[in-house]
Amino acid sequence: MKWRRWGDVGLWVALSFPVLAESGTRHDPWWMQAACVLTLGAAVVLRRSRPLLALALVSWAESAILAFSIGTRSGVPVALVPAMVLLSYLAGRRETQLRHFVTLCSWTLLGALALSLLVRPEVPITEAVLTWLIVLLLALLLVVLPWLVGRYREQQSLLASAGWERAERIEREQRMAVAQERLRERSRIAQDMHDSVGHELSLIALRAAALELDPALGDEQRLAASSLREAAATATERLGEIIGVLRDAEASTVPQDESVAALVDRAAASGLSVELIEQGDAVLSPMVDRAVHRVVQESLTNASKHAPGGVVTATVVREGDQVMVTVTDTGAQRPVPKVMSSTGRGLDGLRERVRLVGGSLHAAPRPTGGFEVRAVMPREGGRPEPEAPAGSSMVERDRVRRSAQRGLVTAVVVPLVLGAVIGVVALGYYLVAGYSSILRPPQYDGLAIGQAENDVRRALPAMEMIDPPSEAFTPPNGWTCAYYRPDEPFSITFAYRLCFAGGVLVEKAVVQSGSVPPTPESTR
C-alpha cells in the first residue's frame, strides 16, 4: 500500500510538471495553475475506483481552458493532453460500459462548443465551429483511440483467461468422452476375444474328452486327457468370468459370429438401401475380421440415422497384406428425424478398434455430398498405432484469438474511420466557408471610406474568413472588423480587412496572410 501511494504521488508530479511549465510560459494566473494541479491530483486518486470521473475532470478542465483561449494569441493549451491520454486508456481498461464513455465524450464536446460560443461572443461562429471540428478530430486520436486500446487490452485479458479455462474444460470433457468410448470398444473386443478363445478352448476340451474315451490309450494317458479336459473347461469358465467383469453391458454386439454379408442383408431387410462389394478372398485374423465387421456395422448405423433415404455402398477389399473397408452414402434424401440422437462418439470407438489391430481410419463428408468412412488394416493384424492425442480444443482457442484480433482491429479502425469522416466534414466546411467569403478585387475597389455599413454589407459575401491573418492588430474601441479573401482557398497571400464604426466603413486594408508580402499587382 505504501508503494502504491508513492506511485500515485509520482504520477501526480509527472502530470503536473508540464502544466506548471506551460502555465509559467503563458503567464497564467496562479489560481488557474492551482486549479489544474488539484484537478490532476483528484484524477490520479479516482483513476482506479472511478476512471470515467477522473477522465471527465481533466477533459472538462481542458475544454474550459480551450474555450477561453479561442480567438486569442496565447496559443492552444496542451499540457493536460498527456493526462487525458493516460486516463482515457485506464478508463478503457477498467470501464466496461461503452454507453457511459460515449455519453461522457458527447456531452464534453458539446459543452466545449457551447462554452466557446458563450465566453467568446466576438469570435466568428465559423471560426468557433471549425476549431471545434479540429478539437473533435483530435479527441478521436487522443481520447477515443486510447480508450479503445485499453478496452481491447482488457477484453483480451478476459478472453484469454475465460477462453483458456473453457478450452481446458472442453478438452478434459472430450478426453473423458473419448476414453469412455475407447473402453466401450475394448469391452466389445473383450467379448470377441471370449468368443474366439472360448471356441478354441471348447475344441481342446472336446478333443481331450475324445482321448479320454479312447480304449487304445492306457489308464495313465486317459487320466492325463481327463485332466486336460477339466483344465480347458476351467479355463473357459475363468475366461467367461473375467470377460464378464471387463465387459460393458452396453457394448454387446449381437450376433457375435455374424459375417459382413449377413450384416448387410439384415440392414437391407430393415429398409436401408445398401449394397455390398467384396473383392479378394484372403483369410483375415479373427481380430481384424471383427474390426471389419464393426466398421461396417457402425457406418450402416450412422447412415440410417443421418442419411435417411440415401444409398449406402460398403466395399471390402482383401488384397495382399491389407484389407480396406470403405462405406459411403449419398446423404439424406428426406428430412432427418429430430428424435434421432447420437453421442457422436461412435467414430472414436471405431478408431480405437482399428488402431488396436494396427490400422487407421478416416471419416469425413464427401465433396459430392454424403459421408465416407475408410479403414485400412493389416490382414493379419499388427502392433497398435500410437494413440492420437484426444481432440484438443484448438477450435476454441482459435475462436478466442480471432475475437481478440477483431477487438484490436476495431480499436484501430474505428478511430481511423471516424477521423476520416470528421476530417472530410471539416475540410468540406472549410471549403464552403472559403468559397463563401470571397470578395473580388473589383468589388473591394468599389468600397469607399465613409460609406454606409448597410450599403457595404449588401456588397459583401455571405460569410467571413474562418482563418483570418494572424497579424498583431487590435481594433480601436467601437470598431468591428471582418476579413475576406480575394480568391479561392489555398491560392492567396493576402486578405482584405474591413472595419466599421458608427454605422459606416472606417477602414479598408490589404493585410498579409501568407509568407509572401502582397504586391501592388497582386492586390488588383
Side-chain angles (χ1 to χ4, degrees):
M1 183 64 67
K2 182 177 180 181
W3 288 107
R4 187 175 182 179
R5 291 178 180 175
W6 279 111
D8 292 345
V9 173
L11 180 60
W12 180 36
V13 172
L15 295 178
S16 300
F17 177 78
V19 173
L20 296 176
E22 183 185 57
S23 296
T25 304
R26 291 161 52 97
H27 304 291
D28 292 332
W30 67 268
W31 60 265
M32 181 177 177
Q33 300 181 34
C36 290
V37 171
L38 291 177
T39 300
L40 287 175
V44 169
V45 173
L46 294 172
R47 76 184 192 279
R48 294 189 182 93
S49 59
R50 298 289 187 273
L52 279 183
L53 179 58
L55 176 61
L57 290 176
V58 179
S59 300
W60 295 340
E62 177 67 20
S63 299
I65 296 173
L66 185 62
F68 281 95
S69 300
I70 188 172
T72 66
R73 303 187 185 280
S74 57
V76 178
V78 296
L80 291 177
V81 169
M84 292 175 58
V85 174
L86 176 62
L87 294 174
S88 178
Y89 172 79
L90 295 178
R93 288 299 305 265
R94 293 177 172 85
E95 183 65 44
T96 57
Q97 295 294 328
L98 176 61
R99 59 187 181 89
H100 293 164
F101 176 76
V102 173
T103 301
L104 170 63
C105 292
S106 301
W107 282 109
T108 301
L109 290 170
L110 292 176
L113 176 61
L115 189 61
S116 63
L117 295 176
L118 289 176
V119 300
R120 292 291 182 184
E122 69 277 7
V123 177
I125 295 179
T126 53
E127 182 180 352
V129 172
L130 182 62
T131 303
W132 182 79
L133 289 174
I134 296 175
V135 170
L136 179 58
L137 190 60
L138 292 175
L140 289 175
L141 180 63
L142 302 176
V143 178
V144 177
L145 181 58
W147 187 87
L148 288 173
V149 172
R151 182 177 175 87
Y152 161 72
R153 290 291 300 160
E154 180 65 17
Q155 288 183 344
Q156 187 183 40
S157 300
L158 294 176
L159 283 172
S161 58
W164 298 149
E165 291 176 1
R166 182 182 179 188
E168 291 175 358
R169 177 176 56 81
I170 292 176
E171 187 170 357
R172 287 195 301 269
E173 293 176 354
Q174 192 170 8
R175 284 177 178 172
M176 292 175 61
V178 172
Q180 183 180 11
E181 189 59 34
R182 285 178 173 175
L183 289 176
R184 186 176 292 113
E185 190 62 32
R186 290 179 182 183
S187 69
R188 293 191 183 100
I189 295 174
Q191 180 63 38
D192 294 343
M193 183 179 68
H194 172 268
D195 296 341
S196 178
V197 178
H199 177 67
E200 297 298 332
L201 290 175
S202 299
L203 292 179
I204 293 174
L206 182 62
R207 290 188 176 88
L211 291 175
E212 185 181 2
L213 298 176
D214 190 351
L217 298 178
D219 294 339
E220 185 176 354
Q221 288 78 15
R222 285 199 297 272
L223 181 60
S226 176
S227 299
L228 180 60
R229 177 183 57 79
E230 293 176 358
T234 301
T236 303
E237 182 179 356
R238 296 290 182 271
L239 178 63
E241 292 175 356
I242 294 173
I243 298 301
V245 172
L246 296 177
R247 181 170 171 267
D248 188 341
E250 299 179 359
S252 61
T253 305
V254 181
Q256 295 291 343
D257 58 349
E258 184 180 47
S259 65
V260 173
L263 171 64
V264 171
D265 291 340
R266 184 158 56 87
S270 65
L272 183 65
S273 178
V274 57
E275 177 187 8
L276 174 63
I277 301 175
E278 293 186 285
Q279 299 177 5
D281 54 359
V283 179
L284 308 178
S285 67
M287 290 292 292
V288 175
D289 182 67
R290 300 313 302 166
V292 171
H293 182 279
R294 281 286 297 124
V295 171
V296 176
Q297 181 187 46
E298 184 67 25
S299 300
L300 294 181
T301 301
N302 290 339
S304 63
K305 287 182 178 181
H306 305 294
V311 178
V312 184
T313 303
T315 305
V316 180
V317 180
R318 303 180 182 90
E319 293 181 353
D321 296 333
Q322 289 186 332
V323 55
M324 184 172 67
V325 184
T326 305
V327 182
T328 60
D329 64 71
T330 58
Q333 304 300 313
R334 56 177 184 265
V336 180
K338 293 184 179 180
V339 296
M340 293 268 185
S341 61
S342 175
T343 62
R345 300 297 178 187
L347 293 177
D348 293 328
L350 284 187
R351 289 189 180 93
E352 179 67 8
R353 168 75 73 142
V354 174
R355 185 189 71 83
L356 290 176
V357 297
S360 61
L361 183 136
H362 173 76
R366 302 169 62 196
T368 58
F371 202 81
E372 179 183 72
V373 177
R374 177 182 289 109
V376 180
M377 296 165 280
R379 189 167 55 86
E380 298 295 334
R383 295 177 60 85
E385 295 291 332
E387 287 193 27
S392 65
S393 54
M394 290 306 297
V395 174
E396 179 66 21
R397 300 188 183 190
D398 290 341
R399 188 192 67 79
V400 173
R401 291 192 188 96
R402 288 194 299 270
S403 180
Q405 291 170 356
R406 285 195 297 268
L408 176 60
V409 172
T410 301
V412 175
V413 171
V414 169
L416 292 179
V417 172
L418 291 178
V421 172
I422 295 175
V424 170
V425 172
L427 179 60
Y429 181 80
Y430 178 81
L431 292 176
V432 170
Y435 281 96
S436 300
S437 61
I438 297 176
L439 178 62
R440 300 295 180 182
Q443 297 172 325
Y444 173 79
D445 293 339
L447 301 177
I449 301 297
Q451 187 176 355
E453 182 177 356
N454 292 334
D455 295 338
V456 174
R457 293 289 184 186
R458 284 193 288 270
L460 296 179
M463 302 178 67
E464 301 177 15
M465 286 183 65
I466 59 177
D467 53 343
S470 58
E471 63 168 351
F473 173 74
T474 302
N477 292 333
W479 284 29
T480 59
C481 298
Y483 293 83
Y484 301 92
R485 62 180 73 247
D487 205 343
E488 286 79 7
F490 313 114
S491 63
I492 63 171
T493 60
F494 64 95
Y496 297 135
R497 183 178 67 221
L498 303 178
C499 296
F500 301 91
V504 297
L505 178 65
V506 295
E507 184 193 51
K508 51 180 293 189
V510 178
V511 296
Q512 179 179 343
S513 62
S515 58
V516 179
T519 62
E521 292 79 9
S522 65
T523 61
R524 294 291 181 269

